[in-house]
Amino acid sequence: MLLIIGSFIGLILLIALFFFVFRLFSITVFYIPGFDLFFQYTITAIPYLLFFAAYYYLYNKIKLSKSKVAKIIARLLLLMGCIIGLFTLFLSTAIFFHVKNDALRLFEDNGHYALIAQIIIIFITAATLASGDEKEKDWKERRKAEL
């Protein structure tokens, strides 16, 4: 019983130690000149890096699809998603560097719609690739095929 209680208390102390170390690290790092700008741009770029990783993953899955129509539609959707991603990353970078423009102000207010569009493109591309594959057999059909 003491081992369980000691493990629980040790886990709580370990979590507290992690928080203390990370807080000390963040306070120390923010005294480096220019690091706060680097951190802000990293936070701006992370969603786009995640989307590009998803596009790369789906691009590799296109080769495995058996349907030519699904391959063509998926490639077009990925191309459209990459273009939207690059364009919005460019606009976000321009906003980060404080470029003054009315179109950028409009994008700054509505930039979340571009991220939503990319999520929708990823889901539609995945659904298109899934529709090009043959129907998966259920457990009864697999058992009949094994016998």
Side-chain angles (χ1 to χ4, degrees):
M1 188 66 153
L2 286 175
L3 187 60
I4 293 173
I5 294 171
S7 298
F8 182 71
I9 292 172
L11 178 68
I12 291 173
L13 289 175
L14 183 67
I15 292 171
L17 180 68
F18 276 138
F19 278 118
F20 176 74
V21 169
F22 286 140
R23 182 176 176 177
L24 183 66
F25 177 73
S26 68
I27 290 170
T28 305
V29 169
F30 274 103
Y31 281 110
I32 298 173
F35 186 80
D36 56 341
L37 294 175
F38 170 75
F39 179 75
Q40 289 172 2
Y41 187 73
T42 302
I43 295 300
T44 302
I46 283 176
Y48 298 105
L49 294 175
L50 291 174
F51 288 132
F52 289 135
Y55 293 144
Y56 180 73
Y57 176 78
L58 289 174
Y59 177 75
N60 288 334
K61 291 297 180 183
I62 288 175
K63 300 171 191 170
L64 302 176
S65 180
K66 294 179 177 38
S67 172
K68 286 201 176 265
V69 174
K71 285 182 181 181
I72 292 170
I73 293 172
R75 283 189 177 123
L76 289 174
L77 287 170
L78 282 181
L79 180 66
M80 185 174 61
C82 285
I83 289 171
I84 290 172
L86 287 172
F87 183 69
T88 55
L89 178 61
F90 176 74
L91 292 177
S92 295
T93 303
I95 290 170
F96 178 76
F97 288 121
H98 303 292
V99 175
K100 302 293 182 196
N101 191 343
D102 291 334
L104 285 177
R105 193 173 317 129
L106 180 66
F107 175 73
E108 188 175 14
D109 294 338
N110 300 310
H112 56 282
Y113 291 122
L115 298 175
I116 292 170
Q118 288 185 22
I119 292 172
I120 291 170
I121 289 172
I122 288 171
F123 281 130
I124 292 174
T125 304
T128 302
L129 288 174
S131 70
D133 292 339
E134 62 187 42
K135 184 180 176 186
E136 189 172 327
K137 296 178 182 179
D138 65 356
W139 64 275
K140 289 181 185 178
E141 292 174 4
R142 276 190 251 159
R143 181 166 287 188
K144 285 181 186 177
E146 290 174 1
L147 297 174

